[in-house]
Amino acid sequence: MKKALVFVTLFVLGFTPVTGQETPEEHSAEPIQIDKELLSGIGLPKIKLKAHPEREFFQKRVHRGQELTVFLLSSETAKNTFENFPLEEFVYFMNGRADIMPSDSLGYSFYPGDYIVVPKGFKGDWTNNGGNRYHLELSVISNERSDSAVTSHRNKPFVLNRDVLAGTDITSIEIDPYVDELYAGVELEIKQVSEVPKEEAISFLEKEQFIHILSGKLVLTSLSGKEHIFYAGDFFILPKTFTGIWQSYGADLFRTLRVTQKG
């Protein structure tokens, strides 16, 4: 495997990924919340695509960490055809509709609120239909590419298990936390993690984590004394370098969706 940042955008928008060695951004030891105004589709920079100069397209890289990169993407209605999608991607779809037509099967669609995995090696058409005018999505990719000959074990984009994400079919085990593996791919791993609300000290995590709070509230207090408060619906990055106190709250369980780099 080789490390490379991919300036995406991604399949959905037909912007050809470009790889290359880059100097990493300075890594924060504090959690990084994804800006809510950007998540609302407000203030995304307009970018001219070389392949589609007439297309109205907006993109903002909101985080590039040690292991993960996060983008917000928006486009007018547009179709893109892929012979071999070059990376693995997690997508949270927020506005519009995505129509998928695999090269070897019938078509289907994704809608706002869907948690989607786009597998490496996907072949087919992906059409973003703007809600009113533009679609909107959040995208997470790994900064490390798998070997070019390796493809995901699933060959079509799909939604993650809705029952697990809803909390109605989570793993019931005696050990806390309760972990459900939603996807283990060639570049990304995605889990649903539930825990009995608790307070604990954490430090020097194994992986950088993209976290979406599904249920409950979380307060992270760093060594500097800075307090970060997150509620259900929030998205944030927890750096590997974070050291501090994790305090979770919930009516029953505190639940999160977590995306990490494979390995």
Side-chain angles (χ1 to χ4, degrees):
M1 301 175 77
K2 63 178 182 179
K3 286 195 173 181
L5 173 66
V6 177
F7 275 118
V8 252
T9 167
L10 291 51
F11 72 98
V12 232
L13 299 170
F15 186 61
T16 304
V18 178
T19 60
Q21 300 298 326
E22 286 198 347
T23 302
E25 297 170 359
E26 184 177 351
H27 301 303
S28 172
E30 302 285 346
I32 304 161
Q33 183 164 7
I34 307 301
D35 184 89
K36 292 185 178 181
E37 187 159 300
L38 294 174
L39 285 167
S40 300
I42 300 169
L44 297 178
K46 187 174 184 179
I47 294 177
K48 187 174 183 178
L49 301 176
K50 290 183 179 180
H52 306 281
E54 76 291 345
R55 184 177 299 176
E56 292 203 42
F57 166 67
F58 307 83
Q59 172 184 293
K60 173 75 172 179
R61 186 181 73 181
V62 295
H63 173 75
R64 192 230 165 177
Q66 293 175 290
E67 297 174 349
L68 299 174
T69 296
V70 182
F71 290 87
L72 282 163
L73 315 168
S74 183
S75 170
E76 64 181 347
T77 297
K79 181 175 81 171
N80 298 283
T81 300
F82 300 95
E83 296 300 327
N84 185 7
F85 188 63
L87 50 82
E88 203 162 59
E89 180 184 21
F90 166 78
V91 171
Y92 180 63
F93 211 77
M94 292 183 284
N95 193 54
R97 187 185 73 238
D99 295 331
I100 314 303
M101 182 59 70
S103 59
D104 60 352
S105 65
L106 297 176
Y108 51 95
S109 299
F110 297 130
Y111 296 89
D114 283 345
Y115 299 83
I116 304 162
V117 172
V118 187
K120 183 180 178 186
F122 165 63
K123 299 177 176 63
D125 294 336
W126 181 294
T127 301
N128 281 318
N129 294 277
N132 293 325
R133 186 168 182 181
Y134 302 113
H135 100 294
L136 179 65
E137 68 178 68
L138 179 148
S139 166
V140 182
I141 62 169
S142 168
N143 292 345
E144 188 168 290
R145 301 276 69 78
S146 60
D147 186 274
S148 59
V150 174
T151 58
S152 304
H153 62 275
R154 298 185 66 162
N155 62 3
K156 300 177 184 65
F158 63 95
V159 292
L160 296 173
N161 188 308
R162 291 188 175 101
D163 289 320
V164 172
L165 291 169
T168 58
D169 191 27
I170 62 176
T171 299
S172 179
I173 58 176
E174 295 182 359
I175 300 175
D176 180 45
Y178 314 95
V179 179
D180 289 279
E181 185 177 89
L182 295 167
Y183 182 69
V186 296
E187 295 177 357
L188 294 175
E189 295 178 345
I190 306 173
K191 298 176 181 179
Q192 191 273 163
V193 181
S194 302
E195 64 183 49
V196 175
K198 62 185 177 183
E199 177 179 328
E200 65 175 345
I202 60 173
S203 62
F204 300 103
L205 305 171
E206 291 184 5
K207 297 180 180 181
E208 179 178 51
Q209 300 179 45
F210 172 85
I211 298 179
H212 177 42
I213 297 184
L214 299 171
S215 178
K217 170 187 171 182
L218 178 67
V219 179
L220 294 174
T221 306
S222 66
L223 280 179
S224 68
K226 187 173 183 179
E227 191 174 77
H228 304 264
I229 303 176
F230 306 101
Y231 297 91
D234 286 346
F235 300 86
F236 69 98
I237 299 291
L238 186 59
K240 293 173 65 174
T241 51
F242 176 78
T243 298
I245 302 299
W246 170 290
Q247 174 70 70
S248 58
Y249 301 85
D252 181 22
L253 296 176
F254 171 71
R255 299 192 305 108
T256 59
L257 171 83
R258 306 191 194 188
V259 182
T260 60
Q261 188 181 78
K262 174 72 174 179

